[in-house]
Amino acid sequence: MLDDAVYAELDRRLAPVDAARLATYPGERPVRQPVHTCYVPADAVVPGVATAWGAAALAALDEHALPDLGHPPALLDKVLPRVRAKLAAEPVEDLRVDAEDGYRGRPEDEDDDVRAAAAAVAADVAAGTAPPSVGIRAKSLEGPTRRRGVRSLDLFLSGLGAGSGAEAPRRATVTLPKVTDVEQVRAFLPVLDALEAAHGVALDLELQVETPQAVLGADGAVTLSRMVHAAGPRLTGLHSGTYDYSAALGIAAAHQSSDHPALDLAKQLVQVAVAGTGAVAVDGSTNVLPVGPREQVHAGWRVHAGLVRRALERGLYQGWDLHPAQLVTRYVATYAFWRGALPAAAARLAAYVERVDGGVLDEPATARALAGGVLRGL
C-alpha cells in the first residue's frame, strides 16, 4: 500500500491545475440555446416583427406545401403539427437587429433606423411578443467602421433600456463581426462595461468568425481559442460567417456555401475552441432563399433543410435564418432530427442504465450525449 504522503503530494501538485481547468472550462451554460438567430436589417425592424415572420412562414407553407425532404411520412405527420404550433406561438427564438452587412439604409439614416429598431423591440418586449432573446449586430472594430459601430450600439441600447420596470429588456446580445485580432476583443470589453453602466442592459457577446486571421494567427496559433478566453464569461458563442470567410479565402461565388470543406475546417476549430467554456459553436447562413414560384420555393427549402440537418449531425445546434420562409425548414429539420432520434436514444439509455447487454456497448460519455440529445429535443 502506498503511503498517504504520496497521495497528499499528488493532490498538492494537481489541485491548482484542477482549479484552473474548472475556471477556464466551466462546462455548458444551464440556459436555453436557441435553434437559430434571425437577422433582420435595422431599417426593416418594426413592432411585431417576430409575429409577422411567423405569419409569413405559415402563409408560405399553406401556399406551397412542403416538398419531399427525405423524412418518413409517419415522422413528418408528427412533426408538422408541432411546426405549425411553433410558428404561431414563438416563430423566432433569437432576433438580431442588423446594422452591418444586412443593413441597406443610407449612412445618414443609420441613427434614426437604429433608434426606430430599438423602439420596436422594446415595444414587443412590453407587449410580450418579443423573442426570448434579442440583440444587435453593429459594424466591426476596424478603423473605418469602429466609431460608427459603437455609436449604433449606444443608440440601440439607449432605446432598448428606456422602458420602465419589467417592460425594459434586461439582457441583450451584441454580435461583433469581422474580428481579426485578439486585441479587438480585449479592447471591446471595457466598451461593453460602459454600455451596460449607461443603459442598464446586461450584455452578452458573440464573435463572428468571418476572417482567416480569426482562425489562424500570424504566429501559427489558433486565434479562436485566444479570443474565447480573452472574452471570458461574456462570450456566448462563435458564429460562422459563410460568405465573408469564403470570399476571404478566394472561393468562387458559385461555390460559397456553409457545407464547403473550407468552412468545415473553420467550424471544427470553433467547436474545439469553445468546448467546455460555456460558449457555443453556431453555423452560418445560406443565401438561397425560398421565394418566388413553387418550384423555386421548394428548391430553397431543400437546400436549407439539408444544411440544417447536416449542421445538426455535426453538433452545430444553432444557425442563421435570413428570411421568414426559412423558419419552415428550420423547424421541420430540427424537430425531425431530434424526434427521429428519440426511439433509439431511449432504448440505448434504458439498456445502459439497466446494464443490459445489447448490440452497442455505450461508454459513459456516449450515455451523457444520448441523454443530452433527449433533453435538447424536449
Side-chain angles (χ1 to χ4, degrees):
M1 301 291 291
L2 287 174
D3 190 278
D4 283 346
V6 175
Y7 293 103
E9 176 63 11
L10 189 62
D11 288 338
R12 185 192 68 78
R13 295 183 63 173
L14 294 184
V17 177
D18 296 338
R21 185 179 65 255
L22 289 174
T24 307
Y25 299 98
E28 292 186 14
R29 293 171 184 257
V31 295
R32 172 185 180 184
Q33 180 186 357
V35 301
H36 66 180
T37 300
C38 293
Y39 281 82
V40 182
D43 53 333
V45 177
V46 295
V49 63
T51 303
W53 270 49
L58 282 169
L61 183 56
D62 289 337
E63 179 179 357
H64 300 291
L66 201 65
D68 181 9
L69 299 175
H71 302 304
L75 177 61
L76 201 59
D77 288 343
K78 295 177 180 179
V79 164
L80 267 179
R82 288 169 168 80
V83 170
R84 286 185 173 276
K86 177 70 170 175
L87 292 173
E90 189 187 72
V92 175
E93 294 195 351
D94 185 28
L95 172 68
R96 202 66 75 248
V97 173
D98 192 4
E100 203 232 355
D101 282 352
Y103 176 64
R104 292 293 183 263
R106 299 180 303 174
E108 59 268 28
D109 293 334
E110 185 166 340
D111 280 4
D112 290 339
D113 288 336
V114 168
R115 286 192 183 100
V121 174
D124 285 351
V125 171
T129 59
S133 55
V134 298
I136 179 172
R137 176 172 73 167
K139 292 175 173 59
S140 77
L141 293 181
E142 296 298 318
T145 58
R146 184 179 301 143
R147 287 177 174 263
R148 174 67 265 180
V150 174
R151 177 175 174 82
S152 290
L153 291 176
D154 195 16
L155 293 172
F156 180 80
L157 294 170
S158 175
L160 198 63
S164 60
E167 295 180 356
R170 293 306 176 204
R171 180 168 295 276
T173 299
V174 171
T175 306
L176 184 62
K178 297 179 177 59
V179 185
T180 56
D181 195 277
V182 180
E183 193 55 36
Q184 289 179 334
V185 178
R186 296 193 183 102
F188 196 47
L189 296 178
V191 176
L192 294 176
D193 291 339
L195 290 168
E196 275 189 340
H199 305 302
V201 179
L203 298 177
D204 295 318
L205 174 63
E206 295 171 343
L207 303 178
Q208 286 199 271
V209 182
E210 300 181 274
T211 67
Q213 296 86 358
V215 176
L216 195 67
D219 58 357
V222 178
T223 317
L224 292 168
S225 181
R226 294 181 175 181
M227 289 180 175
V228 168
H229 295 290
R234 269 202 195 275
L235 187 71
T236 58
L238 294 181
H239 288 229
S240 174
T242 302
Y243 298 98
D244 283 274
Y245 189 78
S246 297
L249 296 182
I251 297 169
H255 300 284
Q256 293 177 1
S257 174
S258 64
D259 60 355
H260 192 285
L263 272 295
D264 284 341
L265 171 62
K267 285 183 282 191
Q268 287 164 4
L269 290 172
V270 164
Q271 286 177 290
V272 175
V274 301
T277 66
V280 296
V282 179
D283 199 19
S285 61
T286 176
N287 59 9
V288 180
L289 302 181
V291 297
R294 174 171 291 191
E295 60 272 18
Q296 190 170 324
V297 171
H298 283 184
W301 274 343
R302 289 190 183 98
V303 169
H304 187 246
L307 291 174
V308 173
R309 183 167 54 246
R310 184 180 189 273
L312 290 168
E313 291 169 354
R314 284 154 177 77
L316 298 166
Y317 303 127
Q318 182 180 347
W320 296 7
D321 289 327
L322 307 178
H323 189 275
Q326 289 182 326
L327 300 181
V328 174
T329 35
R330 171 66 62 182
Y331 291 121
V332 167
T334 301
Y335 283 23
F337 180 83
W338 293 113
R339 192 168 186 84
L342 179 60
R348 287 173 65 179
L349 275 172
Y352 179 83
V353 171
E354 297 166 8
R355 301 185 179 184
V356 175
D357 291 334
V360 180
L361 180 62
D362 285 320
E363 297 281 345
T366 303
R368 286 193 294 271
L370 289 166
V374 172
L375 290 173
R376 192 177 286 274
L378 288 172

